[in-house]
Amino acid sequence: MMHFLLLFSRQGKLRLQKWFLPLPERERKKIVKDMTTMVLSRKPRTCNFLHWKDLKIVYKRYASLYFCCGLDNQDNELLALEILHRYVELLDKYFGNVCELDIIFNFEKAYFILDEFLMGGEIQETSKQSIAKSVEASDMLQETMEEYMSKPAF
Amino acid sequence: MPAVSKGDGMRGLAVFISDIRNCKSKEAEIKRINKELANIRSKFKGDKALDGYSKKKYVCKLLFIFLLGHDIDFGHMEAVNLLSSNKYTEKQIGYLFISVLVNSNSELIRLINNAIKNDLSSRNPTFMCLALHCIANVGSREMAEAFAGEIPRILVAGDTMDSVKQSAALCLLRLYKTSPDLVLMGEWTSRVVHLLNDQHMGVVTAAISLITCLSQKNPDEFKTCVSLAVSRLSRIVSSASTDLQDYTYYFVPAPWLSCKLLRLLQCYPPPEDGAVKGRLVECLETILNKAQEPPKSKKVQHSNAKNAILFEAISLIIHYDSEPNLLVRACNQLGQFLQHRETNLRYLALESMCTLASSEFSHEAVKTHIETVINALKTERDVSVRQRAADLLYAMCDRSNAKQIVAEMLSYLETADYSIREEMVLKVAILAEKYAVDYSWYVDTILNLIRIAGDYVSEEVWYRVIQIVINRDDVQGYAAKTVFEALQAPACHENMVKVGGYILGEFGNLIAGDPRSSPLVQFNLLHSKFHLCSVPTRALLLSAYIKFINLFPETKSTIQEVLRSDSQIRNSDVELQQRAVEYLKLSSIASTDVLATVLEEMPPFPERESSILAKLKKKKGPGAVSVNELEEGKREGGELNGGGDRGGDSSAIAASNASTPSPSADLLGLRTGPPVTAAAPSAGSLLVDVFSEAGVNDDGFLRDLEPPTESSDSLLAEGPGDSDSAPPSVVSEDPAPPLPESNELLNKFVCKNNGVLFENQLLQIGIKSEYRQNLGRMYLFYGNKTSVQFINVQAKPVEPLIEGGAQVQQVINIECLTDFTEAPLLNIKFRYGGALQNLSLKLPVTINKFFQPTEMASHDFFQRWKQLSQPQQEAQKIFKANNAMDTEVLKAKLLGLGMALLENVDPNPENFVCAGVIQTKAQQVGSLLRLEPNAQAQMYRLTVRSSKDTVSKRLCELLAEQF
């Protein structure tokens, strides 16, 4: 299973953090620090995998953002790389040509999309269409709710 | 993307985020945040009740502040309030806040649980999913207690929506991981397993993670999943890339599900059902074949997904470790990847090959890639790939290539990345130790290691080389010589000085004969490094100096001079000063005897796991070093370290197969006892190499035998009809327990090598033996005391036919690997008059047979005596004399024991002292003995000291029976 997923910028600014196991705050900060220093110091065209303690680290850079996750030792690195890619595709589909700013200003949406895709560190749904559909459905629900809100009668 | 109202009207949030982004400094950011926190706090505390929208907005701001890395200590209550809102957006933000921020705060958990319960029973799939996500995110024990019963029901209920099923499966998995005791599958098991057949690929994908985890814990209950998984896999593998619609990822059908199926199968042994197994092998072959097909897309996603499945299939093949054909194909495939232009694939191929290297079927195939791997180690640009290459070299190392691999790793170390040097050093040290054939190579390797990468040689490594040198007499001289040479280098690493100081302090005497390394030269060499060293090393050197004073009295004045100098005796470091003062005093006032006792040679280190291996394990964390490897390492480490304690007192000397012709009036069936190997457990432990060959008769030996009679009637003519057809197969294979008198018989031979071991009315067994160092040869003579010819002698080692009154000879070669207590058993079986004769005797091989006498002067004797002063090194017995206390007889017996009888050593002329070294393959055990007769009381007091406690004890036992 995936232990954590981090999104950070080239400057090491954390943009999104998802922890699939409960960890004390201090430990989380330590991991974030280790990951950003480790990954950011990698030279271009090196491989996307690292060992860190007893976890496998898989990371990939998309434009200015690094996507980085920690896996169990028996997990498949290549597949994890494609999990990252699929997540990027999902964000892209939702925001349309997604960029770092979208994730900064709509962080809660980035979390919601991730929740449709992964749960408890395992993959829940791989179909891009299904995920897009359920994210859309909740947006619809949202808009309906907004309408309701403007009608204090509800 | 206009269709979506991003931020859905939370303008305040967007403004706040912009403000933060516009902050020029960290201080400004903190100021802005504090302002916002104060604002939110006042809003939450204000009298005016907040509407849902404002609550949502403020909670969202808090979340953002938290994600920036600031602590949030309020707002939880407001978030919980949002959970019970029936507005979707509010609920969603509430759940998000709880998921990200809540730790098990019990007050809050109860409220949260209430909200979750409501949502779970709402039958609104969107709400249910939100609730399930929250449970999975928090995953606390309280939540497991509240919902572990409910979720399986949701998972298997017929009317549950697919999306809810997916969430329920993974939520349950999460709870199972936190509190396995609370998740009781029982009645649900088979319905959960059958989710593998679900039509919805998403449901199968989610459910299989749950099933895999449950199978790992309860393999028997879930084993029906194997055939379901195989058929599902087979359907995916054989499907066209368009069949699975959106579950096809870049032309690869369902890569996630395929990998998970292959992973699930790795929880089980190969399927027993032939058809299922056949289908699975077919799948694996198809996957391997697909790897050779041209890619359907140039995108990296396509090849990643395809290769992910391939690697997972290879993992399964390695896990089964039973299909040599597939294993070799897997190895070849990985071999191709080793040279692939994609760095990721080279990395993964190296990683996978590490596990493949441990399979007996593919170990050799992996080894053929050694040159490529060495090349990778030298030329890869990426350090993590080089590290995998080093790991693989470590994994593929065995006796045949150890020298090459160690040499390559050493030369790589000179340019290796700093981040991996320490680990490399540990690995080289372990391999050198594990596969050392000769210890001079081991010593050379470690000294090279220190030369090349001294800074990365941890204490464990140099401790270990010293442990090994101390425990192995045969390498001490070489170690002293080599370390002496290494120290000649103008700049040598401090670790080298440490090893050098320690080894010369202990064993400098072994090279002191050469004028080029005379004691004074050795001392000057060490001392020339002294001033450049750190305090701990200097302290070690001071100890080496005082040891020199003991080893070489001629260096005393020089060394005292050094100790007396202000830089030592007034050193500002307390430790150094104290050592200098104490050593100086010790060397000037203590007598030679006292000095010799205080500064005796270090005793051998006890057997223990290699400290380096322990360090590597710690460094890599659990799971990085396979259990196999550890055990192997342990075993090998033990062997290397002298193998001392193991098998020492078990009856590890192999039972010899011997055969005895027994005279009888009629037919005799003769069988050998069980072969040697039964009692010889492993190379690491004691083993007597017993092999027998048919020998020539030695008529002169069995003097006691009656001369052969004239009658040489053939059995066929002579024997009574009933017995000549006794089938040999009737003879039981079980050896008899040793004869009660066998200990007594054994004792007869402690002090002599020739004689009659056993005799009854049928048979006589004579023994003649000789020993040199740790080897021995024993001739056994089986004498037929009757006048009847024996035929049908089945034993291979002896002649198949023994004439009446004649004898056959059997030769046994003996090698003593390490010290032992129990004598080997000699099992003899034959048929006499139709009745099975089963006889077990102890072969008269005792530890003292391997003594080499050592002559020494009185002074040396007492110096060594004192060196062996640990309580367990001494064994003592006081016993009554069984025979007349005749000095000459006693002397003869002690000489027969194999030790040197030392004259003029003991101040009391009545006493006897002896010295000798027991030669075993593993080590030498020096032993000293003192026998004090008391003629008046007709008693003896016997004291044995030796460097191994088991040896002292055994010698004492053996000898107590002799006088």
Side-chain angles (χ1 to χ4, degrees):
Chain A
M1 69 173 276
M2 196 181 273
H3 290 226
F4 56 81
L5 171 69
L6 304 175
L7 269 62
F8 48 83
S9 69
R10 271 158 69 188
Q11 293 75 34
K13 281 251 183 210
L14 193 59
R15 297 303 181 201
L16 182 139
Q17 47 176 318
K18 181 77 184 178
W19 305 91
F20 296 105
L21 283 175
L23 288 174
E25 191 54 32
R26 265 188 49 211
E27 207 163 316
R28 291 183 179 184
K29 286 192 168 148
K30 167 100 176 62
I31 293 177
V32 170
K33 194 163 157 268
D34 282 4
M35 289 306 121
T36 44
T37 38
M38 245 169 61
V39 169
L40 292 174
S41 64
R42 299 274 292 163
K43 293 187 192 116
R45 283 199 305 284
T46 48
C47 78
N48 299 86
F49 316 129
L50 293 167
H51 274 226
W52 181 81
K53 301 204 170 159
D54 49 2
L55 295 185
K56 287 174 173 175
I57 307 299
V58 174
Y59 73 93
K60 187 161 183 179
R61 183 179 154 181
Y62 287 90
S64 61
L65 263 192
Y66 283 89
F67 289 64
C68 168
C69 61
L71 306 173
D72 269 336
N73 221 329
Q74 74 269 22
D75 284 345
N76 190 313
E77 290 102 327
L78 286 174
L79 212 53
L81 210 48
E82 295 319 300
I83 288 180
L84 299 182
H85 187 75
R86 172 84 348 151
Y87 183 46
V88 174
E89 286 183 347
L90 292 169
L91 292 171
D92 197 65
K93 191 172 165 80
Y94 182 79
F95 291 108
N97 209 0
V98 67
C99 67
E100 194 181 339
L101 279 181
D102 290 322
I103 294 170
I104 294 171
F105 280 96
N106 302 285
F107 67 92
E108 79 283 9
K109 286 277 187 267
Y111 277 102
F112 296 149
I113 294 168
L114 186 60
D115 274 351
E116 293 292 336
F117 179 42
L118 299 177
M119 181 167 173
E122 299 284 357
I123 202 141
Q124 174 175 266
E125 177 56 81
T126 65
S127 159
K128 204 152 77 171
Q129 283 167 14
S130 296
I131 297 173
K133 218 184 282 169
S134 51
V135 174
E136 237 167 72
S138 70
D139 271 339
M140 288 308 290
L141 206 53
Q142 194 167 294
E143 274 161 15
T144 335
M145 289 296 180
E146 298 292 327
E147 282 167 31
Y148 281 133
M149 265 189 48
S150 57
K151 292 176 194 157
F154 182 74
Chain B
M1 182 101 186
V4 184
S5 59
K6 282 176 282 180
D8 46 274
M10 286 197 282
R11 241 188 86 76
L13 177 65
V15 169
F16 175 59
I17 294 174
S18 299
D19 281 359
I20 295 288
R21 287 180 50 76
N22 289 334
C23 287
K24 293 277 184 294
S25 66
K26 194 82 192 159
E27 289 72 30
E29 184 184 307
I30 291 173
K31 213 173 142 196
R32 177 71 185 88
I33 285 170
N34 285 338
K35 188 181 151 204
E36 192 64 37
L37 286 175
N39 172 39
I40 298 172
R41 201 176 265 125
S42 75
K43 288 281 197 283
F44 283 169
K45 278 191 180 155
D47 307 329
K48 214 179 102 204
L50 286 174
D51 58 45
Y53 168 79
S54 310
K55 240 187 250 172
K56 180 180 86 171
K57 183 179 74 185
Y58 293 131
V59 166
C60 227
K61 280 181 179 175
L62 287 178
L63 192 55
F64 181 77
I65 294 169
F66 176 79
L67 292 172
L68 282 177
H70 301 269
D71 291 333
I72 295 295
D73 53 6
F74 68 102
H76 300 73
M77 207 51 195
E78 284 72 15
V80 174
N81 285 342
L82 288 176
L83 292 188
S84 30
S85 160
N86 46 15
K87 296 198 175 75
Y88 178 74
T89 49
E90 290 170 19
K91 198 185 272 294
Q92 200 182 21
I93 294 290
Y95 272 123
L96 179 60
F97 184 93
I98 301 294
S99 302
V100 175
L101 258 116
V102 162
N103 36 34
S104 353
N105 178 333
S106 60
E107 268 310 293
L108 225 47
I109 287 285
R110 208 169 325 124
L111 293 171
I112 297 168
N113 280 358
N114 252 335
I116 291 176
K117 202 164 282 170
N118 290 335
D119 284 335
L120 280 185
S121 50
S122 70
R123 307 190 65 80
N124 173 338
T126 322
F127 286 8
M128 286 172 90
C129 284
L130 278 180
L132 288 168
H133 265 285
C134 184
I135 300 173
N137 276 319
V138 177
S140 67
R141 178 126 191 123
E142 289 92 335
M143 285 198 172
E145 278 164 2
F147 303 111
E150 175 67 13
I151 297 171
R153 224 185 308 272
I154 298 176
L155 175 61
V156 298
D159 57 348
T160 306
M161 299 266 294
D162 289 333
S163 62
V164 179
K165 270 191 195 169
Q166 286 166 274
S167 299
L170 293 174
C171 183
L172 193 58
L173 169 60
R174 181 74 182 78
L175 292 186
Y176 183 75
K177 283 183 178 167
T178 347
S179 319
D181 54 317
L182 295 177
V183 179
L184 304 168
M185 292 313 292
E187 44 182 321
W188 312 116
T189 304
S190 92
R191 295 172 73 180
V192 170
V193 171
H194 276 87
L195 288 173
L196 287 175
N197 270 341
D198 201 286
Q199 290 192 326
H200 191 281
M201 293 283 274
V203 172
V204 189
T205 309
I208 196 168
S209 295
L210 174 68
I211 294 168
T212 305
C213 181
L214 291 169
S215 299
Q216 279 163 350
K217 299 280 160 54
N218 328 281
D220 283 344
E221 289 161 48
F222 282 83
K223 66 169 179 273
T224 45
C225 70
V226 173
S227 59
L228 292 179
V230 170
S231 61
R232 189 96 213 191
L233 180 69
S234 158
R235 268 179 282 155
I236 297 173
V237 169
S238 56
S239 65
S241 55
T242 49
D243 289 355
L244 302 173
Q245 292 140 3
D246 205 34
Y247 290 91
T248 296
Y249 181 83
Y250 291 88
F251 304 101
V252 181
W256 281 281
L257 183 53
S258 305
C259 285
K260 294 226 168 240
L261 287 164
L262 289 162
R263 172 62 52 188
L264 171 61
L265 291 170
Q266 287 171 61
C267 304
Y268 290 92
E272 283 156 21
D273 182 327
V276 176
K277 187 171 180 194
R279 206 163 171 197
L280 178 56
V281 168
E282 215 170 275
C283 286
L284 294 172
E285 277 169 350
T286 312
I287 293 170
L288 285 168
N289 291 341
K290 278 187 179 171
Q292 303 300 330
E293 289 169 9
K296 294 196 177 73
S297 155
K298 284 210 169 71
K299 293 242 186 211
V300 68
Q301 282 76 26
H302 171 72
S303 72
N304 278 352
K306 192 167 135 184
N307 291 326
I309 298 172
L310 180 60
F311 275 105
E312 210 57 62
I314 290 175
S315 291
L316 182 63
I317 291 169
I318 297 172
H319 166 77
Y320 284 163
D321 199 15
S322 61
E323 301 281 330
N325 174 34
L326 288 176
L327 277 165
V328 170
R329 280 192 69 183
C331 188
N332 292 340
Q333 181 61 54
L334 294 178
Q336 280 181 24
F337 283 154
L338 283 183
Q339 319 217 32
H340 202 278
R341 59 186 170 77
E342 275 271 335
T343 317
N344 286 343
L345 289 179
R346 295 198 300 275
Y347 175 99
L348 293 174
L350 289 165
E351 193 178 58
S352 275
M353 269 207 182
C354 272
T355 42
L356 207 51
S358 58
S359 158
E360 56 168 317
F361 296 115
S362 49
H363 183 79
E364 289 305 313
V366 170
K367 274 166 65 185
T368 59
H369 297 287
I370 185 165
E371 296 304 332
T372 319
V373 181
I374 286 171
N375 199 36
L377 187 65
K378 287 176 175 162
T379 59
E380 278 291 346
R381 296 178 352 158
D382 182 348
V383 53
S384 48
V385 183
R386 290 197 294 271
Q387 183 150 14
R388 293 289 85 76
D391 284 351
L392 178 54
L393 282 179
Y394 180 74
M396 66 162 71
C397 192
D398 61 18
R399 266 183 217 292
S400 72
N401 55 21
K403 287 204 171 174
Q404 185 190 7
I405 286 179
V406 166
E408 290 294 349
M409 285 172 100
L410 269 177
S411 78
Y412 172 61
L413 254 181
E414 304 201 39
T415 53
D417 314 75
Y418 298 113
S419 57
I420 65 171
R421 280 195 188 184
E422 189 181 352
E423 198 182 313
M424 291 283 296
V425 166
L426 290 175
K427 286 185 165 162
V428 170
I430 290 168
L431 291 179
E433 181 180 329
K434 200 163 152 182
Y435 298 116
V437 182
D438 60 306
Y439 284 87
S440 45
W441 175 70
Y442 170 75
V443 170
D444 284 342
T445 305
I446 300 295
L447 293 184
N448 265 328
L449 210 50
I450 295 175
R451 210 175 359 246
I452 293 167
D455 284 344
Y456 299 90
V457 173
S458 57
E459 306 221 301
E460 285 82 355
V461 174
W462 76 262
Y463 290 169
R464 187 72 181 156
V465 66
I466 283 169
Q467 279 175 17
I468 284 169
V469 170
I470 284 181
N471 286 12
R472 300 210 46 114
D473 303 18
D474 52 341
V475 78
Q476 288 161 356
Y478 182 81
K481 180 169 156 284
T482 321
V483 84
F484 176 80
E485 281 160 9
L487 285 172
Q488 310 275 352
C492 64
H493 195 273
E494 193 164 331
N495 278 332
M496 187 72 87
V497 180
K498 287 178 185 164
V499 175
Y502 203 111
I503 287 183
L504 293 180
E506 295 290 330
F507 308 114
N509 55 331
L510 299 176
I511 55 167
D514 188 329
R516 283 165 300 175
S517 53
S518 70
L520 218 51
V521 174
Q522 287 183 38
F523 169 74
N524 285 333
L525 181 62
L526 281 179
H527 198 54
S528 69
K529 316 284 181 194
F530 187 90
H531 304 280
L532 300 169
C533 291
S534 64
V535 169
T537 308
R538 289 191 201 187
L540 186 152
L541 284 176
L542 289 179
S543 299
Y545 297 170
I546 186 73
K547 288 222 160 194
F548 267 47
I549 292 184
N550 177 43
L551 286 178
F552 319 115
E554 66 265 39
T555 60
K556 185 169 169 176
S557 59
T558 318
I559 292 175
Q560 282 182 331
E561 196 67 34
V562 167
L563 292 175
R564 205 177 287 123
S565 72
D566 279 357
S567 61
Q568 308 301 345
I569 210 159
R570 297 199 177 159
N571 195 295
S572 59
D573 185 272
V574 183
E575 177 66 33
L576 293 181
Q577 192 186 91
Q578 189 173 356
R579 285 195 192 210
V581 172
E582 285 178 4
Y583 291 163
L584 184 59
K585 240 347 180 217
L586 181 68
S587 67
S588 18
I589 59 169
S591 69
T592 358
D593 279 2
V594 172
L595 214 54
T597 312
V598 176
L599 304 170
E600 64 179 309
E601 189 179 304
M602 292 297 285
F605 287 88
E607 200 53 43
R608 59 169 86 114
E609 184 187 7
S610 161
S611 49
I612 318 179
L613 207 61
K615 165 121 182 166
L616 184 68
K617 263 189 282 176
K618 211 168 98 197
K619 200 172 158 52
K620 301 216 77 178
V625 187
S626 75
V627 176
N628 261 347
E629 194 180 351
L630 290 179
E631 282 172 354
E632 193 185 350
K634 225 176 192 160
R635 200 172 63 233
E636 305 261 3
E639 181 185 347
L640 170 106
N641 212 2
D645 298 338
R646 271 166 307 103
D649 50 2
S650 69
S651 57
I653 289 197
S656 123
N657 56 341
S659 51
T660 315
S662 171
S664 80
D666 41 36
L667 177 77
L668 200 74
L670 204 60
R671 300 275 296 191
T672 53
V676 173
T677 47
S682 81
S685 71
L686 186 73
L687 173 69
V688 176
D689 175 19
V690 189
F691 62 88
S692 315
E693 56 195 32
V696 262
N697 287 354
D698 181 344
D699 288 336
F701 177 65
L702 286 179
R703 274 156 289 153
D704 303 355
L705 274 182
E706 293 165 57
T709 59
E710 295 301 292
S711 123
S712 57
D713 312 16
S714 92
L715 178 103
L716 289 174
E718 184 75 17
D722 63 326
S723 53
D724 67 352
S725 58
S729 59
V730 177
V731 181
S732 138
E733 287 290 332
D734 298 331
L739 291 180
E741 65 270 29
S742 61
N743 274 329
E744 209 177 298
L745 297 170
L746 181 71
N747 281 328
K748 283 202 316 199
F749 285 87
V750 170
C751 295
K752 62 176 186 175
N753 287 335
N754 305 333
V756 175
L757 176 66
F758 174 79
E759 185 164 22
N760 65 11
Q761 68 271 34
L762 307 172
L763 165 77
Q764 185 189 48
I765 306 172
I767 294 262
K768 209 174 161 185
S769 52
E770 56 198 34
Y771 294 91
R772 243 186 58 213
Q773 301 206 323
N774 68 325
L775 302 175
R777 175 167 293 185
M778 183 178 282
Y779 300 87
L780 291 167
F781 301 90
Y782 302 100
N784 179 347
K785 285 169 73 180
T786 70
S787 56
V788 183
Q789 187 190 48
F790 303 146
I791 64 152
N792 201 16
V793 177
Q794 304 262 333
K796 213 176 176 187
V798 291
E799 308 223 296
L801 185 132
I802 303 167
E803 289 294 334
Q807 51 180 293
V808 289
Q809 184 193 39
Q810 184 182 26
V811 186
I812 297 174
N813 286 320
I814 299 164
E815 184 182 12
C816 179
L817 296 184
T818 181
D819 69 289
F820 61 95
T821 307
E822 287 298 318
L825 289 181
L826 171 69
N827 185 241
I828 302 154
K829 287 179 186 168
F830 56 88
R831 197 168 279 280
Y832 168 59
L836 176 70
Q837 306 288 309
N838 194 347
L839 189 63
S840 274
L841 294 170
K842 289 191 174 174
L843 268 190
V845 182
T846 45
I847 186 70
N848 63 293
K849 299 294 179 196
F850 303 99
F851 259 133
Q852 290 280 102
T854 317
E855 292 292 346
M856 56 177 79
S858 172
H859 167 80
D860 292 333
F861 182 85
F862 285 105
Q863 183 180 334
R864 305 230 171 151
W865 184 262
K866 279 172 191 149
Q867 284 173 0
L868 296 170
S869 59
Q870 288 177 31
Q872 68 271 25
Q873 291 177 328
E874 181 182 284
Q876 195 173 64
K877 260 200 168 136
I878 299 170
F879 53 92
K880 233 178 155 40
N882 290 322
N883 304 303
M885 294 174 91
D886 182 324
T887 310
E888 288 312 308
V889 173
L890 284 178
K891 275 187 182 173
K893 283 191 172 167
L894 288 170
L895 282 172
L897 184 69
M899 301 175 88
L901 185 60
L902 306 177
E903 306 279 356
N904 304 323
V905 167
D906 201 292
N908 180 350
E910 301 293 318
N911 294 347
F912 301 92
V913 294
C914 303
V917 177
I918 291 175
Q919 306 277 344
T920 73
K921 191 173 179 220
Q923 69 193 125
Q924 301 179 330
V925 184
S927 306
L928 303 172
L929 173 153
R930 189 185 201 187
L931 182 68
E932 301 158 88
N934 181 334
Q936 265 183 324
Q938 287 289 300
M939 299 279 280
Y940 292 99
R941 184 167 79 168
L942 172 69
T943 315
V944 180
R945 286 188 176 187
S946 66
S947 54
K948 270 199 84 173
D949 49 353
T950 46
V951 172
S952 307
K953 209 167 137 258
R954 180 61 182 154
L955 284 174
C956 205
E957 282 165 15
L958 285 171
L959 276 172
E961 303 297 322
Q962 299 301 316
F963 306 107

